[in-house]
Amino acid sequence: MTAKIYYDLREQLDQYSVGFPSTESGVELQILEAIFSEEEAEMYLNLSMMLETPQQIAERIGKDPEQVSQLLERMVDKGQIFRMRKGDVRKYGAAPFVVGSFEYQVKNMDRNFAELFEKYFNEAFGKHGLSQSAPLRTVPVNKTIDHRWAVAPYEDLKEIIKSKDTISVGKCVCRTQQKLLDKGCGKPLEACLQFGSHAHFYVEKGMGRYISQDEALDILEKCDEAGLVPQPFISQDTGGICNCCGDCCGILRSIKLHPKPADKVLANYYAQADPETCSSCGTCLDRCQMDAIILEDGGKAQVDRDRCIGCGLCVTTCPTESMSLKMKPESERKQPPATGRDYVMQLATARGRSLIPLSIIKKS
């Protein structure tokens, strides 16, 4: 019988990011039992998304600081929470399920966990996990950007990379999960970039390795060649860039289930086909991760704007240069939140959730 603490944990995780919806089968509780012990679950319920030192946490909950510190380090190692370290000072905070503790399972994931998540995706997360918007935003690959456009730095992959002093790369958790199920696309595994404190966290946990700006740009080039969609975390000052495929990525798979994927992403571009020069080769159909392109009766490519997320993958390999990327009208463009914290707060408001731990709310 599942302990009550896991129901409380599920309720808390549902407050954060895109949520943690429940299922009739209770598979999400099995996932939590696989990740957390009861002691760890209780500690998680006493954390907030605001980073604190072990001493601050211990004082707040009336526990021994050394015991709290040891427990928090164990939780970091198991991919349950986030840690930021500056010199000798360590601070810890609650992590959402996505993007967060699910991604942190990349090093520890086994087939059993992969099967649990796949069941959860099919029963709830894929259908209900993106009720508002995705935690990643789509930006076009650099080759598709018209030099005449006034492109914001946060929309330019090269500018994002050049602005980061500390970069790491790690394996894609989604392609890792699908590979454990003997599925997937076989596209590059080492394709997820992290910046700043996120980069340090991934390296310290053994989930990634430090790389240079040049190596990061080379990885982006290889990801474009492989047909992966570049998706930075949604804020302007992004903590990382995922390179995603529609076969494996939980976010893209979920978006793909919607009749209008374009409504679920923050993207300021769309693809357009020129029927006069289209050779009907079908290359763009294979590259599109959202099934946004069809061949008309005359065999000419046509883009469904409701499904197009503006990544530009169809543009970079079009042999006749018939595909192009267009910037949306100013009235349709959206500016991402300045920071990740701003996004989390905006999304919580939109979902009618609070970022204050439920344990504190219930006491008040």
Side-chain angles (χ1 to χ4, degrees):
M1 183 176 178
T2 303
K4 181 180 180 300
I5 190 74
Y6 292 108
Y7 289 90
D8 294 340
L9 181 57
R10 177 184 68 186
E11 185 181 8
Q12 183 62 61
L13 282 166
D14 196 42
Q15 298 293 105
Y16 299 147
S17 187
V18 296
F20 192 65
S22 60
T23 65
E24 290 187 11
S25 71
V27 65
E28 77 282 7
L29 299 173
Q30 293 178 267
I31 288 175
L32 296 182
E33 288 176 312
I35 299 176
F36 294 84
S37 69
E38 291 187 33
E39 181 186 24
E40 292 157 356
E42 182 179 2
M43 175 56 73
Y44 185 96
L45 294 176
N46 282 299
L47 300 178
S48 75
M49 299 189 80
M50 299 293 290
L51 298 176
E52 300 175 279
T53 65
Q55 291 74 20
Q56 290 171 323
I57 297 168
E59 183 177 343
R60 181 162 52 78
I61 65 177
K63 300 280 188 180
D64 176 69
E66 183 57 32
Q67 292 180 350
V68 168
S69 180
Q70 292 177 6
L71 177 56
L72 291 171
E73 276 301 305
R74 189 169 81 223
M75 294 174 72
V76 167
D77 190 58
K78 293 177 69 174
Q80 300 163 358
I81 60 176
F82 180 73
R83 179 190 68 203
M84 183 174 70
R85 181 162 58 182
K86 287 187 177 181
D88 295 331
V89 178
R90 300 184 181 192
K91 293 185 177 182
Y92 304 80
F97 184 65
V98 171
V99 174
S101 54
F102 172 66
E103 283 75 15
Y104 300 162
Q105 300 309 306
V106 66
K107 186 178 73 170
N108 304 321
M109 187 179 293
D110 57 17
R111 187 180 180 98
N112 177 65
F113 187 91
E115 290 174 345
L116 287 175
F117 180 76
E118 193 68 7
K119 183 178 180 182
Y120 183 46
F121 180 89
N122 292 329
E123 290 187 21
F125 194 81
K127 300 174 183 176
H128 309 299
L130 295 179
S131 58
Q132 295 295 327
S133 65
L136 305 175
R137 59 187 175 89
T138 304
V139 297
V141 294
N142 277 91
K143 295 177 185 177
T144 63
I145 296 178
D146 192 319
H147 70 278
R148 295 170 295 178
W149 296 341
V151 179
Y154 55 78
E155 298 267 39
D156 188 322
L157 289 171
K158 289 184 178 179
E159 289 302 314
I160 292 173
I161 296 299
K162 291 177 182 178
S163 71
K164 304 301 179 182
D165 295 324
T166 306
I167 307 173
S168 69
V169 62
K171 290 182 179 179
C172 170
V173 68
C174 298
R175 286 192 283 283
T176 297
Q177 184 251 348
Q178 289 294 299
K179 188 176 181 180
L180 286 167
L181 299 177
D182 302 319
K183 298 179 181 179
C185 58
K187 293 179 180 178
L189 270 178
E190 197 181 50
C192 293
L193 305 177
Q194 303 84 35
F195 310 131
S197 60
H198 296 277
H200 290 310
F201 180 69
Y202 263 70
V203 173
E204 290 168 3
K205 271 196 86 269
M207 299 187 299
R209 61 184 178 86
Y210 290 121
I211 59 173
S212 65
Q213 291 181 350
D214 286 342
E215 189 171 358
L217 291 171
D218 185 57
I219 287 171
L220 290 177
E221 181 75 20
K222 288 181 170 62
C223 286
D224 171 39
E225 292 172 0
L228 297 176
V229 178
Q231 296 200 110
F233 300 166
I234 202 165
S235 60
Q236 295 179 33
D237 184 17
T238 186
I241 299 174
C242 292
N243 287 284
C244 309
C245 62
D247 299 308
C248 306
C249 172
I251 300 296
L252 290 187
R253 288 167 66 199
S254 182
I255 292 171
K256 201 171 182 176
L257 294 173
H258 291 276
K260 296 182 178 181
D263 291 345
K264 293 295 178 180
V265 298
L266 195 161
N268 290 324
Y269 305 87
Y270 65 94
Q272 182 172 285
D274 182 352
E276 297 298 322
T277 57
C278 176
S279 64
S280 306
C281 67
T283 301
C284 54
L285 274 70
D286 295 332
R287 296 273 287 180
C288 182
Q289 303 298 308
M290 289 292 110
D291 297 333
I293 304 174
I294 59 172
L295 295 183
E296 296 180 296
D297 293 338
K300 302 297 184 178
Q302 181 177 352
V303 180
D304 182 350
R305 279 199 60 185
D306 284 336
R307 298 201 63 84
C308 177
I309 59 174
C311 65
L313 288 178
C314 58
V315 178
T316 56
T317 53
C318 180
T320 58
E321 299 184 356
S322 301
M323 301 299 297
S324 61
L325 210 59
K326 304 296 182 183
M327 184 179 287
K328 291 180 180 178
E330 190 171 353
S331 60
E332 296 180 25
R333 293 177 215 159
K334 298 178 182 178
Q335 186 177 56
T339 67
R341 181 176 296 178
D342 291 334
Y343 165 72
V344 168
M345 293 177 67
Q346 290 178 18
L347 186 55
T349 300
R351 295 182 62 236
R353 297 292 194 268
S354 172
L355 297 181
I356 300 173
L358 294 174
S359 58
I360 295 177
I361 294 175
K362 292 174 181 178
K363 288 179 183 177
S364 60

